[in-house]
């Protein structure tokens, strides 16, 4: 909305200055975040969970995969096409409009998926039952309890109860 109110030469200068930076940093951040999330889930034991708790892990993996594919294979090429079109002496405004219309739809779906990942992560925080491989477990009123000194800080934050 803000850029639409700018005159075309100012928009052109803004896009020409900002786009090269974002073309480098955004795919890098996206790839690093996805990779770090995978290894964190693996080290935390989330990938070895049983059903139905693994459904939440699977939901997170699917959402992150869709976000990554959309970002790297739809939004990035669209940004490049718009950038190269804007740099021309006589840019095709109709082509830029079509590309940006498609871009807005994908960005809207990414917003919905980001809300969905927040819901999934909130479920992780409120407590998924992690696999426990401790010898000192006992059964009490139908749920598994583990001594805090054996499961570390996960119990203190309430994730295992």
């Amino acid at each position: 909305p803000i850029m639409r109110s700018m005159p075309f030469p100012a928009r052109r200068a803004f896009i020409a200055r900002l786009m090269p930076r974002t073309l480098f940093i955004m795919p890098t951040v996206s790839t690093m975040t996805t990779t770090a999330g995978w290894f964190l889930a693996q080290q935390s034991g989330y990938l070895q969970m049983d059903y139905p708790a693994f459904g939440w892990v699977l939901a997170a993996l699917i959402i992150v995969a869709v976000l990554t594919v959309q970002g790297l294979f739809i939004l990035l090429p669209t940004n490049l096409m718009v950038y190269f079109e804007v740099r021309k002496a006589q840019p095709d405004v109709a082509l830029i409009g079509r590309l940006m219309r498609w871009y807005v739809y994908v960005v809207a779906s990414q917003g919905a998926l980001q809300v969905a990942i927040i819901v999934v992560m909130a479920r992780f925080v409120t407590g998924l039952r992690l696999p426990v491989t401790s010898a000192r477990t006992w059964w009490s009123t139908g749920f598994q309890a583990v001594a805090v000194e054996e499961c570390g800080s996960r119990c203190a934050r309430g994730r295992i109860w």
Side-chain angles (χ1 to χ4, degrees):
I2 294 171
M3 285 186 59
R4 283 188 207 154
S5 64
M6 293 172 65
F8 185 74
R11 263 190 286 175
R12 183 183 203 176
F14 180 76
I15 289 172
R17 186 169 166 89
L18 181 66
M19 190 64 66
R21 291 181 178 98
T22 60
L23 286 177
F24 171 74
I25 202 162
M26 295 311 285
T28 305
V29 169
S30 171
T31 306
M32 294 295 292
T33 303
T34 304
T35 306
W38 172 264
F39 284 107
L40 180 64
Q42 190 176 31
Q43 288 178 352
S44 299
Y46 286 112
L47 299 179
Q48 288 80 31
M49 297 186 75
D50 293 329
Y51 181 82
F54 186 72
W56 290 97
V57 176
L58 192 59
L61 292 173
I62 290 170
I63 292 169
V64 168
V66 170
L67 285 170
T68 302
V69 167
Q70 282 182 340
L72 293 177
F73 299 112
I74 297 174
L75 297 178
L76 181 62
T78 303
N79 278 332
L80 281 171
M81 288 188 281
V82 168
Y83 174 70
F84 290 132
E85 191 64 34
V86 165
R87 290 193 53 179
K88 291 180 181 177
Q90 293 294 326
D92 185 2
V93 180
L95 174 65
I96 293 172
R98 284 192 307 272
L99 289 172
M100 292 311 292
R101 192 172 315 120
W102 176 249
Y103 185 86
V104 167
Y105 290 137
V106 175
V107 168
S109 73
Q110 285 217 328
L113 287 172
Q114 287 175 0
V115 170
I117 198 73
I118 289 171
V119 170
V120 171
M121 293 299 131
R123 179 68 171 116
F124 276 82
V125 170
T126 58
L128 290 176
R129 295 179 60 90
L130 295 175
V132 178
T133 58
S134 172
R136 291 183 58 200
T137 60
W138 64 90
W139 292 94
S140 171
T141 63
F143 67 91
Q144 187 176 19
V146 179
V148 173
E149 65 271 6
E150 290 185 10
C151 69
S153 63
R154 290 184 301 181
C155 291
R157 290 193 303 258
R159 288 188 179 175
I160 202 142
W161 302 100

